[in-house]
Coordinates of all heavy atoms in Angstrom, one line a residue:
H290 N 1.6 30.3 19.9 CA 0.5 29.5 19.4 C 0.9 28.4 18.4 O 0.1 27.8 17.8 CB -0.6 30.3 18.8 CG -0.1 31.1 17.6 ND1 0.4 32.4 17.7 CD2 -0.1 30.8 16.3 CE1 0.7 32.8 16.5 NE2 0.4 31.9 15.6
Q291 N 2.2 28.2 18.3 CA 2.7 27.2 17.3 C 2.1 25.8 17.6 O 2.1 25.4 18.8 CB 4.2 27.1 17.4 CG 4.9 26.2 16.4 CD 5.0 26.8 15.0 OE1 4.7 28.0 14.9 NE2 5.5 26.1 14.0
P292 N 1.5 25.2 16.6 CA 0.8 23.9 16.9 C 1.7 22.9 17.6 O 2.8 22.6 17.2 CB 0.4 23.4 15.5 CG 0.2 24.7 14.7 CD 1.3 25.6 15.2
G293 N 1.2 22.3 18.7 CA 1.9 21.3 19.4 C 3.0 21.7 20.3 O 3.2 21.2 21.4
V294 N 3.9 22.6 19.8 CA 5.1 22.9 20.5 C 5.2 24.3 21.1 O 6.1 24.6 21.9 CB 6.3 22.7 19.6 CG1 6.4 21.2 19.2 CG2 6.3 23.6 18.4
G295 N 4.3 25.2 20.8 CA 4.2 26.5 21.4 C 3.8 26.5 22.9 O 3.1 25.5 23.3
V296 N 4.2 27.4 23.6 CA 3.9 27.4 25.1 C 2.4 27.5 25.4 O 2.0 27.2 26.4 CB 4.7 28.5 25.8 CG1 6.2 28.2 25.8 CG2 4.4 29.9 25.3
N297 N 1.7 28.1 24.4 CA 0.2 28.2 24.6 C -0.6 27.1 23.9 O -1.8 27.1 23.9 CB -0.3 29.5 24.1 CG -0.1 30.6 25.1 OD1 0.4 30.4 26.2 ND2 -0.6 31.8 24.8
A298 N 0.1 26.1 23.3 CA -0.6 25.1 22.6 C -1.6 24.3 23.4 O -2.6 23.7 22.9 CB 0.4 24.1 21.9
F299 N -1.4 24.2 24.7 CA -2.3 23.5 25.6 C -2.7 24.4 26.8 O -3.0 23.8 27.9 CB -1.6 22.2 26.1 CG -1.3 21.2 25.0 CD1 -0.1 21.3 24.4 CD2 -2.2 20.3 24.6 CE1 0.2 20.4 23.3 CE2 -2.0 19.4 23.6 CZ -0.7 19.5 22.9
A300 N -2.6 25.7 26.6 CA -3.0 26.6 27.7 C -4.4 27.0 27.6 O -4.9 27.3 26.5 CB -2.1 27.8 27.7
H301 N -5.1 27.2 28.7 CA -6.5 27.6 28.8 C -6.8 28.7 29.8 O -6.2 28.7 30.9 CB -7.4 26.4 29.2 CG -7.1 25.1 28.4 ND1 -7.7 24.8 27.2 CD2 -6.3 24.1 28.7 CE1 -7.3 23.6 26.8 NE2 -6.4 23.2 27.6
E302 N -7.5 29.7 29.4 CA -7.9 30.8 30.3 C -9.4 31.0 30.4 O -10.0 31.2 31.4 CB -7.2 32.0 30.0 CG -7.5 33.2 31.0 CD -6.7 34.4 30.7 OE1 -5.6 34.4 30.2 OE2 -7.2 35.5 31.0
S303 N -10.0 31.0 29.2 CA -11.5 31.2 29.2 C -12.2 30.4 30.2 O -11.9 29.2 30.3 CB -12.0 31.0 27.8 OG -13.4 30.8 27.8
G304 N -13.1 30.9 30.9 CA -13.8 30.2 32.0 C -14.4 28.9 31.5 O -14.3 27.8 32.1
I305 N -15.1 28.9 30.4 CA -15.8 27.7 29.8 C -14.7 26.7 29.4 O -14.8 25.5 29.8 CB -16.7 28.1 28.6 CG1 -17.8 28.9 29.1 CG2 -17.1 26.8 27.9 CD1 -18.7 29.5 28.0
H306 N -13.6 27.2 28.8 CA -12.6 26.2 28.3 C -11.9 25.6 29.5 O -11.6 24.4 29.6 CB -11.6 27.0 27.4 CG -12.1 27.2 26.0 ND1 -11.4 26.7 24.9 CD2 -13.2 27.8 25.5 CE1 -12.1 27.0 23.8 NE2 -13.1 27.7 24.2
A307 N -11.5 26.5 30.5 CA -10.8 26.0 31.6 C -11.6 25.0 32.4 O -11.1 23.9 32.8 CB -10.4 27.2 32.5
D308 N -12.9 25.3 32.6 CA -13.7 24.4 33.3 C -13.8 23.0 32.6 O -13.6 21.9 33.2 CB -15.1 25.0 33.5 CG -16.1 24.0 34.1 OD1 -16.0 23.8 35.3 OD2 -17.0 23.5 33.4
G309 N -14.0 23.1 31.3 CA -14.0 21.8 30.5 C -12.7 21.1 30.5 O -12.7 19.8 30.6
A310 N -11.6 21.8 30.4 CA -10.3 21.1 30.4 C -10.0 20.5 31.7 O -9.3 19.4 31.8 CB -9.2 22.1 30.0
L311 N -10.4 21.1 32.8 CA -10.1 20.6 34.1 C -10.9 19.3 34.3 O -10.5 18.3 35.0 CB -10.5 21.6 35.2 CG -9.5 22.8 35.3 CD1 -10.1 23.8 36.2 CD2 -8.2 22.3 35.9
K312 N -12.1 19.2 33.8 CA -12.9 18.0 33.9 C -12.4 16.9 33.0 O -12.3 15.7 33.5 CB -14.4 18.3 33.5 CG -15.1 19.2 34.5 CD -16.4 19.7 33.9 CE -17.2 20.5 35.0 NZ -18.4 21.1 34.4
D313 N -12.0 17.2 31.8 CA -11.4 16.2 30.9 C -10.7 17.0 29.8 O -11.4 17.7 29.0 CB -12.5 15.3 30.3 CG -12.0 14.2 29.4 OD1 -10.8 14.3 28.9 OD2 -12.7 13.2 29.2
H314 N -9.4 16.9 29.7 CA -8.6 17.8 28.8 C -9.1 17.5 27.3 O -8.9 18.4 26.5 CB -7.1 17.5 28.9 CG -6.7 16.2 28.4 ND1 -6.3 15.9 27.1 CD2 -6.5 15.0 29.1 CE1 -5.9 14.7 27.0 NE2 -6.0 14.1 28.2
R315 N -9.7 16.4 27.1 CA -10.1 16.0 25.7 C -11.3 16.9 25.3 O -11.7 17.0 24.1 CB -10.5 14.6 25.6 CG -9.2 13.7 25.7 CD -9.6 12.2 25.8 NE -10.3 11.9 27.1 CZ -10.6 10.8 27.5 NH1 -10.4 9.7 26.8 NH2 -11.3 10.6 28.7
N316 N -12.0 17.6 26.2 CA -13.0 18.5 25.9 C -12.5 19.6 25.0 O -13.3 20.1 24.1 CB -13.7 19.1 27.1 CG -14.5 18.1 27.9 OD1 -15.2 17.2 27.3 ND2 -14.6 18.2 29.2
Y317 N -11.3 20.1 25.2 CA -10.8 21.2 24.5 C -9.4 21.0 23.9 O -8.7 22.0 23.5 CB -10.8 22.5 25.4 CG -12.2 23.0 25.6 CD1 -12.9 22.7 26.7 CD2 -12.8 23.8 24.6 CE1 -14.2 23.2 26.9 CE2 -14.1 24.3 24.8 CZ -14.8 24.0 26.0 OH -16.0 24.5 26.1
E318 N -9.0 19.8 23.8 CA -7.7 19.5 23.2 C -7.8 18.3 22.2 O -8.4 17.3 22.5 CB -6.6 19.1 24.3 CG -6.3 20.3 25.2 CD -5.4 20.0 26.4 OE1 -4.9 18.8 26.4 OE2 -5.2 20.8 27.2
L319 N -7.2 18.5 21.0 CA -7.3 17.5 20.0 C -6.4 16.3 20.1 O -6.8 15.2 19.7 CB -7.0 18.2 18.6 CG -7.1 17.4 17.3 CD1 -8.5 16.8 17.1 CD2 -6.7 18.2 16.1

Side-chain angles (χ1 to χ4, degrees):
H290 59 272
Q291 185 80 5
V294 297
V296 294
N297 274 3
F299 297 91
H301 309 273
E302 183 176 331
S303 162
I305 292 174
H306 282 240
D308 176 71
L311 287 168
K312 291 173 178 173
D313 184 340
H314 70 87
R315 290 169 295 185
N316 286 329
Y317 286 99
E318 293 173 7
L319 180 60

